[in-house]
Amino acid sequence: MRSNRARRRPQAVAGIAVLLIAATVAACAPQQITQRELTFATVSPIALDVARVDVVQRYQPSFDDPYVDHLFRQVPADVIRRWAEARLQPAGGAGGATLYIEDASVLEEALARTPGLAGAVTIDQSERYTATFTVRLEVDNPTLGRRGVATVTARRSITVPENATLADRSEVWLTLTEKTVDDLDARLEMEVRSNLPSFVAR
């Protein structure tokens, strides 16, 4: 006569197999990454004495190594556009301003690792990412016979350790984008208020 334990054993083995399969599927599933969106809803706009402000993207990503900006969850060129649209506001009755996104690239550079046995117990910084953002602002008010141009560039670098996860790397890219746009913002405002003061409405 078979015991209840003997009858339950195939069910137990089957249950373990199901758990192992589920664990394997979970390990192979794509890593879900949630990320805060970079918005500029709270920035104080620069009011320009023009009737319209346009943003034009001249920069075209290469999609080739060593450039990686096209891989970002929030592509730098898109972030720069959102920033420009929030930061520059028309406050005049004539003329226009155009902000051209000239560069929104991020370059990846492999870093040297610690050689030998020491390398097995050392967590090195494995890659450096360098962001270069350039914008050119052209302002024209033909009614008043005034024109002006301001071009600014911001550049920052950041590194990641060799044990960084995909989520870690994505957060590093986001931080790099945010800080570089912050630099770009400060430099553009300084340039506009210093060299194009007649176009600032208030």
Side-chain angles (χ1 to χ4, degrees):
M1 183 175 185
R2 296 181 65 185
S3 66
N4 290 336
R5 179 180 300 176
R7 286 197 299 270
R8 288 196 299 266
R9 185 173 300 159
Q11 296 176 353
V13 172
I16 293 172
V18 170
L19 290 175
L20 289 174
I21 292 172
T24 301
V25 171
C28 296
Q31 186 177 7
Q32 297 298 316
I33 300 175
T34 58
Q35 190 176 75
R36 60 190 172 88
E37 184 178 4
L38 295 181
T39 63
F40 305 93
T42 60
V43 301
S44 299
I46 300 174
L48 298 176
D49 188 13
V50 292
R52 73 179 192 284
V53 175
D54 300 313
V55 180
V56 176
Q57 181 176 329
R58 284 177 170 168
Y59 170 73
Q60 296 298 322
S62 68
F63 299 103
D64 293 323
D65 294 339
Y67 294 97
V68 295
D69 46 277
H70 60 284
L71 301 176
F72 285 26
R73 292 178 65 82
Q74 296 183 62
V75 178
D78 294 340
V79 175
I80 294 172
R81 173 181 289 276
R82 293 202 298 269
W83 158 75
E85 289 174 345
R87 193 68 160 102
L88 302 174
Q89 298 294 320
T98 303
L99 184 126
Y100 295 98
I101 302 173
E102 304 282 2
D103 196 351
S105 62
V106 179
L107 181 74
E108 181 183 66
E109 176 188 2
L111 301 177
R113 309 287 184 89
T114 303
L117 293 176
V121 294
T122 303
I123 298 177
D124 291 309
Q125 297 295 303
S126 56
E127 286 89 24
R128 176 185 293 114
Y129 296 98
T130 301
T132 304
F133 299 165
T134 299
V135 297
R136 176 183 174 89
L137 177 65
E138 297 184 2
V139 191
D140 183 14
N141 191 327
T143 302
L144 303 177
R146 293 181 297 174
R147 297 184 55 129
V149 176
T151 301
V152 294
T153 296
R155 183 176 291 108
R156 269 185 181 257
S157 294
I158 197 169
T159 61
V160 296
E162 59 184 322
N163 63 346
T165 65
L166 183 60
D168 293 337
R169 195 175 301 267
S170 184
E171 186 62 27
V172 165
W173 286 351
L174 181 69
T175 299
L176 176 63
T177 302
E178 183 176 35
K179 297 299 184 184
T180 311
V181 170
D182 286 346
D183 293 343
L184 195 69
D185 177 81
R187 292 177 186 180
L188 182 66
E189 179 165 16
M190 182 182 297
E191 185 73 14
V192 168
R193 296 193 183 280
S194 298
N195 298 324
L196 303 175
S198 62
F199 287 101
V200 179
R202 59 180 182 274

